[in-house]
Amino acid sequence: MKYSKSVTLRDGRTCIIRSGEAGDAQGVYESFMRTHGETDYLLSYPEENSMDVEQERKFLEEKEASPNEAELCALVEGRVVATAGIEQVGAKQKVRHRAEFGISVERAYWALGIGRALTLGCIELAKQAGYSQLELDVVGENRRAMALYESVGFREYGRNPRGFRGKNGWQELVLMRLELDGE
């Protein structure tokens, strides 16, 4: 899916939010490694990355060509500093109305508005793709992320007290969803 938007960050810099392209593979890979090492709130650790730069390139090409999935990049001063995406839960009749949302922002770029811009971009693309529901899991202690998601309409629908077992112990996951079709 294609997307492009320019936003002014809270510090006055310009951020380009756009669909990831094959040429972004190195930057996306480096940002993944950085973000996954900076916080314990993401699904994996850097050493668990299952993709190399070439696999990242193919992933970005697939998302760009997809009619219902997307990977967005946030670029500040030409460098990828964050990514977010939507993926279909499944193709079967009973679940194809649902998409999963994921996001990661480098710590140096937190609280500048990038997370909100990426989230809103993914919501827009999920609606364009015809999804009825967008879903995410967030670590319960990540209050800033939860506040962002709630501010754009996501609502909690459950909790998994042992959702993550990180290096520092158990982390509760909060399950959230956003109805996109108003039903």
Side-chain angles (χ1 to χ4, degrees):
M1 297 187 76
K2 297 275 191 182
Y3 184 86
S4 183
K5 186 173 185 175
S6 177
V7 296
T8 301
L9 301 178
R10 289 189 183 113
D11 66 1
R13 288 184 287 178
T14 298
C15 178
I16 304 300
I17 307 288
R18 64 165 171 75
S19 303
E21 303 167 351
D24 296 320
Q26 183 70 41
V28 169
Y29 176 84
E30 290 171 2
S31 185
F32 177 97
M33 297 302 281
R34 208 170 357 268
T35 57
H36 286 68
E38 292 176 332
T39 180
D40 207 30
Y41 295 151
L42 299 174
L43 176 64
S44 61
Y45 295 107
E47 62 271 17
E48 297 175 308
N49 187 355
S50 61
M51 286 201 257
D52 60 24
V53 174
E54 180 57 24
Q55 290 166 320
E56 193 70 62
R57 183 187 65 74
K58 289 178 184 172
F59 173 81
L60 291 170
E61 286 175 344
E62 290 170 7
K63 295 303 179 202
E64 188 177 19
S66 174
N68 64 347
E69 295 187 330
E71 187 73 10
L72 298 182
C73 296
L75 292 95
V76 176
E77 298 169 346
R79 188 170 80 73
V80 175
V81 300
T83 60
I86 58 168
E87 290 191 3
Q88 187 174 35
V89 168
K92 303 241 187 297
Q93 171 73 34
K94 292 183 178 183
V95 295
R96 67 178 171 216
H97 67 285
R98 297 167 51 201
E100 295 176 317
F101 167 71
I103 185 170
S104 62
V105 179
E106 293 179 17
R107 183 180 295 268
Y109 295 87
W110 287 4
L112 295 176
I114 294 173
R116 176 173 296 279
L118 283 168
T119 302
L120 292 173
C122 284
I123 291 169
E124 182 179 327
L125 290 173
K127 287 178 180 179
Q128 285 177 20
Y131 292 113
S132 300
Q133 183 168 290
L134 191 56
E135 305 169 11
L136 62 86
D137 298 346
V138 59
V139 173
E141 63 193 43
N142 191 353
R143 304 272 186 242
R144 292 175 58 218
M146 287 181 61
L148 165 62
Y149 303 142
E150 289 171 351
S151 77
V152 298
F154 281 90
R155 297 295 172 250
E156 179 180 333
Y157 70 92
R159 290 182 177 248
N160 183 345
R162 297 174 91 175
F164 280 174
R165 186 174 185 177
K167 293 176 181 176
N168 298 315
W170 296 110
Q171 292 175 296
E172 181 174 57
L173 287 181
V174 178
L175 314 175
M176 301 184 83
R177 62 191 270 281
L178 173 64
E179 291 182 14
L180 301 170
D181 59 4
E183 292 183 18

